[in-house]
Amino acid sequence: MNFEDYKGKVIFVGAGPGDPELITVKGAEAIKNSDVIIYAGSLVNPAVLDIAKDDAKIYDSAEMDLDEIIDVIKTAHEENKIIARVHTGDPAIYGAIAEQINQLRPLGIEFTIIPGVSSLFGTAAALESQLTLPEVSQTIIITRPEGRTPKPSKESLASLAQHNATMCVFLGIHMIDDVVNELLKEYDEKTPVAVVKKATWPDQEIVRGDLTNIAQKVHDAGFTKTAMIVVGDVLDQQSGEQSKLYDPKFAHMYRDAK
């Protein structure tokens, strides 16, 4: 990346799930070279910003509304500064970048997006789990419960649960009882569930159970935010059927069958 080409532009950066070493090389370089940094302080590990320039202006967007964020960007754009807008995980998933882009385009402010490691994958790593297994689940549903943010009716947890696929529920830990009640409409009550709080952070915590007891375990652990709920039989079958990819009897363009 030639950062001289990004003066007056916005670089949306996915900061990863928490561990500052899990930001991409490109994302780290963007932070190192930016003159103005606006980061989601309620979720992004501030250690990610330790590599910023000493004279970089840093804003915590947890304390700002959209208009205030855009005002900072407009000023930096007019001053021909490089601007990093740093979001947690990958900004494409519940990252709120669309509303910012919709404001930037009419202003003629150019931008680019650097993807990041989603908390979904940090969670899978923390659980030492593969989220897709042959004959168990080949589908991952990424969703959230309906709360203050409405959802299309066809995307209710109960509707999605009909697939009995691996489900990863963002932003729902404070509604764990409601989440479980919805999932129980379609999943077997003994379906395994894992909840990971602050995946990849130094104070990461994990609670495991099934749909009969996970809500109480979450309450007992005191989890109220920053946690991912993973539901599905893959959590109990990590030694199940092997994939075709490395099956010696399975031929593909790089290997003959034995």
Side-chain angles (χ1 to χ4, degrees), residues 17 117-132 140 166 168 194-196 199-200 204 206 208 228-230 234-235 238:
V117 178
S118 170
S119 58
L120 164 62
F121 305 119
T123 294
L127 294 173
E128 300 178 344
S129 282
Q130 182 174 322
L131 299 180
T132 58
I140 302 169
T166 306
C168 300
V195 178
V196 182
T200 80
Q204 167 187 292
I206 300 173
R208 294 179 184 266
M228 175 82 68
I229 305 164
V230 182
V234 293
L235 294 173
Q238 296 300 314

Side-chain angles (χ1 to χ4, degrees), residues 126-171:
L127 294 173
E128 300 178 344
S129 282
Q130 182 174 322
L131 299 180
T132 58
L133 287 174
E135 307 300 325
V136 180
S137 177
Q138 292 288 282
T139 300
I140 302 169
I141 297 172
I142 300 171
T143 190
R144 61 170 296 172
E146 182 169 18
R148 294 172 65 183
T149 302
K151 290 177 63 176
S153 58
K154 290 183 179 179
E155 292 185 13
S156 70
L157 291 182
S159 296
L160 296 174
Q162 293 178 41
H163 300 283
N164 271 219
T166 306
M167 187 181 293
C168 300
V169 183
F170 283 70
L171 305 169

Side-chain angles (χ1 to χ4, degrees), residues 198-218:
K198 299 186 76 172
T200 80
W201 290 64
D203 53 347
Q204 167 187 292
E205 294 182 65
I206 300 173
V207 169
R208 294 179 184 266
D210 58 39
L211 286 173
T212 67
N213 58 25
I214 193 65
Q216 188 57 54
K217 288 186 175 186
V218 164

Side-chain angles (χ1 to χ4, degrees), residues 15-248:
D19 181 343
E21 293 184 326
L22 287 177
I23 191 171
T24 65
V25 173
K26 196 169 188 177
E29 286 299 309
I31 289 174
K32 285 180 185 178
N33 286 276
S34 289
D35 305 302
V36 174
I37 299 169
I38 309 168
Y39 79 107
S42 60
L43 295 169
V44 172
N45 188 341
V48 169
L49 306 181
D50 288 348
I51 57 176
K53 297 190 295 186
D54 290 342
D55 60 349
K57 291 184 179 179
I58 298 176
Y59 299 84
D60 181 354
S61 64
E63 303 166 356
M64 303 165 72
D65 60 30
L66 180 59
D67 289 341
E68 291 171 331
I69 292 167
I70 298 301
D71 283 344
V72 169
I73 292 173
K74 283 168 61 178
T75 299
H77 166 71
E78 290 164 1
E79 295 173 350
N80 209 30
K81 303 292 188 182
I82 301 170
I83 309 143
R85 176 65 172 112
V86 184
H87 285 266
T88 187
D90 182 280
I93 303 179
Y94 305 119
I97 62 170
E99 62 196 48
Q100 296 170 80
I101 289 170
N102 288 340
Q103 296 270 354
L104 296 180
R105 282 189 169 133
L107 295 170
I109 299 175
E110 296 181 44
F111 63 89
T112 190
I113 301 170
I114 298 176
V117 178
S118 170
S119 58
L120 164 62
F121 305 119
T123 294
L127 294 173
E128 300 178 344
S129 282
Q130 182 174 322
L131 299 180
T132 58
L133 287 174
E135 307 300 325
V136 180
S137 177
Q138 292 288 282
T139 300
I140 302 169
I141 297 172
I142 300 171
T143 190
R144 61 170 296 172
E146 182 169 18
R148 294 172 65 183
T149 302
K151 290 177 63 176
S153 58
K154 290 183 179 179
E155 292 185 13
S156 70
L157 291 182
S159 296
L160 296 174
Q162 293 178 41
H163 300 283
N164 271 219
T166 306
M167 187 181 293
C168 300
V169 183
F170 283 70
L171 305 169
I173 197 63
H174 64 295
M175 302 170 60
I176 186 65
D177 296 288
D178 294 334
V179 169
V180 167
N181 288 337
E182 286 294 296
L183 297 177
L184 279 170
K185 293 176 181 178
E186 297 293 343
Y187 283 100
D188 183 272
E189 64 179 11
K190 290 300 182 181
T191 301
V193 185
V195 178
V196 182
K197 177 184 176 183
K198 299 186 76 172
T200 80
W201 290 64
D203 53 347
Q204 167 187 292
E205 294 182 65
I206 300 173
V207 169
R208 294 179 184 266
D210 58 39
L211 286 173
T212 67
N213 58 25
I214 193 65
Q216 188 57 54
K217 288 186 175 186
V218 164
H219 291 311
D220 291 345
F223 294 1
T224 58
K225 61 181 181 179
T226 328
M228 175 82 68
I229 305 164
V230 182
V231 186
D233 289 329
V234 293
L235 294 173
D236 255 4
Q237 301 192 36
Q238 296 300 314
S239 60
E241 186 80 17
Q242 76 179 54
S243 72
K244 294 294 185 185
L245 181 59
Y246 299 111
D247 186 336

